[in-house]
Amino acid sequence: KIYTDRESSKVWVTPDNDCWDVLDLDVGCCEHALGLAHFYNSQFTAADAHYRESLRLLEATAVRHKTQKQQHGSLENKRRGQFETSINSSIAAVMMSMGILYHQREKTERARRFLEGAIQIVYWTTHQVLTSSRISTIATPSVTGFNEISLVVCVIRVGDAHRRIALMNKEKNNLEEAKLAFETSIRCLESTNIETRLSLKVDDESHLESIHQDQVDGMLLSCYENMMDMISPSEAECKVSTNRKWWNFSKDNQDLCVDDGIQDGLTREDLLFRLGNISAKRKKFDSAIRCFIQARQLTEDKLGTADHPIIGNILFNLGNVYRQMNKVHTAENEINTKNLGIDAFVESLRITKLSSGPDSLVAAEVMESLASLLMEDDTKLSEVSRTDNDGAIKFLRDAVAIRDKHRSEMSLQYSLSVHHLGVLRLRHILEECNVNIFRDMSILDEAVFYLSQALHIRRIILGDHLDAAESANFLGVALWKKRTLSDEIENNNEEIMHDAMKHLDDALFIRMSVLERESRCISNDSNSQHLETSADIIDIGSIVVKTVQNLYDIACIRETQRDFETQHKFLDDALQLMEKWTKNQNQGNSDGLKIIIPEAERRIWKAKLLYCLGTSWYERGKFSQAVTYFDESLVFYGLNDSAKVDNADNVFDDFFRKKKSDIVPTLTQSKPSAIVLVMEKLADSYYKLEGFEDALRCYAFCLQSYDEQFGHDSLEVGNILRSVGKMYGERHDHKR
């Protein structure tokens, strides 16, 4: 309204020149946005008209603003210089859109002209910004106003323009020009976030808000694949070079030095290595493995040796791909990814120690990745957990010692190593059945020490970050376990419990804040596309599961404090959180959320939460409610009522007919399965309700399971026999 009536007396605002310049800029950006809307609706003529009008307004504003700038002093010029940067950035964006439009309509020369014009404007604008000590960001107008974005966006824009020019040259069979343009595009795009080692980085949740990185990866993938098409195997063999800058190795820094190195021309193994990295980031693991294996073979052939740091780097990335595959709970791939990953890391570590020394930071990085894989279960095997915690602890301690020697103890990588050490020590307590109070207290003290270190570093560097929440959560659990053990050897432990609850509450606050923010973003149609990649979806699913675990841990502490009302509240919150984020993927829900948690994991967690709720009711003497929750828990574990033994008396008779050795109670070396624990608690609930037949059916199931898992003379079997004996006594079957 103001814009169209600017000359009318109806406008009460004084027509200040700066005001109208800003208004012209906003309207030009609105015209650009309208053009984009028509373009995405395939209405190319209308899009062209809006682009042209936008360009006319922005260029006229730029000319007028430049004239006005010359008439003001230096201080005013600095302010106007920032505004000029905004205008130029907007013009470049419109010219990029016009180039894409004309390329789509096969008007190649016109498209090339606009794309090259956009490149020139961005280069000039970037130079102006970098040489100005007063400007650190480019203020780029958008439909909703001015948004400050980094120079990275301009670099991405230039890289995309070069990529499109390369595609045009390739279509015209101008292969040399196409290669040059592709290499320039790759240089620009890789400069935004180049990764030559798929290391154990901190998972920064900031990428959940960014729409740029996935776009960059897609552009790079396009460049790599097109370059691969243009480099024939015979041509690649002619470019034998053992000292390319991309692979340059510096023994002074004891690390791989990444230069752009593209001026010598990208070879086939270079491209395969880069394709492997991009494929791994995009969760295309099979493709990444093929690329790394081919890159290794070609590099070994050219270098004439397998003991080169380049090969070590390829094997390191290959091991991390296998490590990521091992986390995926699918049975589609029959290969043992964990063992293959260990083999790759071990060979990479051997080469790294030869080339850069056993105490190099590169060696520490390989040790940390190897330890991380050793900590994990083998998801491709159906047997029991195959973790090697002792091996993982050895490698982590060696890595921490190396980083201490290099004085890098305040780094995020160091925090990750001590975090894993703390988790491994805590895992020993959680999984061990034999209780030695003084030994376990020593292990818990070690876990608390390592986790406190990790939390301290992450808080200083990252603040309220998801990784800080991870360390806080485990530290809270470690303190809780320490307090539980200390009940038997000391009285004053309320301070420990207070610290445990504080850390758990802090972790929960951070995670819930992230989930609430992401829920709003997904619900907003304008931002709904920023989580389309499988990588982001898996990340949020992991956050949801960890938040549920966080709530579950707090609920368990409340149970030990006999605060059942609060425990119930936390468990209900956990169930509601699971339901909110696991709606049907095709139908969606009112919030627009998608299914992001594997069905098997969702069922297990729901079963655990229902079991905990049942236990809460049981402890309060509400046995009917407890039976309802225990039954529901068994359903989610995959059992129904038919799993209970029909003829319990026969089961007990068969048990006593077995040949019995001398009864020697044995200490159990492993824990009972979750299903049997639920069934035993259900039997106890039936017993309290005097439902003897149902209780006997459940006890018979437990007896069979314990006998098979732990043996005839185990204490678990003895506990079941004691409970059953009491029931038969109450039924006056005294002989039995």
Side-chain angles (χ1 to χ4, degrees), residues 138-156:
I138 296 179
T140 302
S142 68
V143 180
T144 56
F146 286 84
N147 295 322
E148 288 193 349
I149 60 174
S150 67
L151 292 172
V152 171
V153 178
C154 289
V155 178
I156 293 171

Side-chain angles (χ1 to χ4, degrees), residues 463-638:
D464 287 342
H465 188 280
L466 287 173
D467 282 354
E470 186 88 350
S471 296
N473 194 155
F474 280 112
L475 179 57
V477 174
L479 289 169
W480 168 41
K481 293 297 180 183
K482 182 178 178 180
R483 190 261 188 185
T484 303
L485 282 179
S486 66
D487 281 342
E488 303 186 27
I489 56 177
E490 60 184 48
N491 296 320
N492 186 17
N493 48 39
E494 286 306 314
E495 186 176 346
I496 298 177
M497 180 59 76
H498 178 268
D499 290 342
M501 288 302 303
K502 177 183 179 299
H503 289 305
L504 287 170
D505 287 340
D506 288 346
L508 183 62
F509 173 77
I510 294 172
R511 287 165 172 163
M512 291 299 291
S513 298
V514 172
L515 288 178
E516 287 174 10
R517 183 188 66 212
E518 292 309 311
S519 178
R520 289 195 300 270
C521 289
I522 297 174
S523 302
N524 188 340
D525 291 338
S526 63
N527 294 326
S528 61
Q529 294 183 357
H530 83 292
L531 287 171
E532 289 300 317
T533 63
S534 60
D536 288 333
I537 290 177
I538 291 174
D539 284 337
I540 298 182
S542 174
I543 297 170
V544 172
V545 171
K546 289 175 180 177
T547 307
V548 170
Q549 171 78 61
N550 203 158
L551 290 162
Y552 176 80
D553 291 336
I554 295 174
C556 290
I557 292 179
R558 293 301 186 187
E559 182 181 1
T560 61
Q561 296 174 325
R562 306 200 63 80
D563 184 359
F564 297 117
E565 292 296 332
T566 307
Q567 179 202 18
H568 212 112
K569 175 185 176 299
F570 280 106
L571 292 172
D572 283 339
D573 288 346
L575 285 169
Q576 291 173 14
L577 188 69
M578 290 285 289
E579 287 300 315
K580 177 180 179 180
W581 287 90
T582 53
K583 294 294 184 180
N584 183 272
Q585 185 171 8
N586 296 322
Q587 295 178 354
N589 66 357
S590 59
D591 294 332
L593 303 180
K594 295 185 177 181
I595 184 167
I596 51 176
I597 304 173
E599 177 64 15
E601 192 168 12
R602 183 187 73 85
R603 293 181 69 87
I604 287 174
W605 264 111
K606 192 147 188 183
K608 288 177 68 174
L609 294 170
L610 290 168
Y611 170 68
C612 201
L613 279 168
T615 305
S616 174
W617 285 115
Y618 181 89
E619 294 296 331
R620 282 185 277 180
K622 306 290 185 180
F623 303 116
S624 297
Q625 291 91 329
V627 166
T628 301
Y629 281 108
F630 290 142
D631 275 331
E632 282 191 61
S633 177
L634 288 173
V635 169
F636 280 98
Y637 275 127

Side-chain angles (χ1 to χ4, degrees), residues 162-173:
H162 281 295
R163 181 181 68 89
R164 293 178 183 277
I165 291 172
L167 290 171
M168 296 176 197
N169 284 320
K170 186 183 176 185
E171 290 170 3
K172 289 190 170 185
N173 210 30

Side-chain angles (χ1 to χ4, degrees), residues 689-703:
L689 292 170
E690 298 185 358
F692 295 136
E693 291 300 329
D694 288 327
L696 283 173
R697 292 174 62 200
C698 296
Y699 281 133
F701 177 92
C702 296
L703 183 69

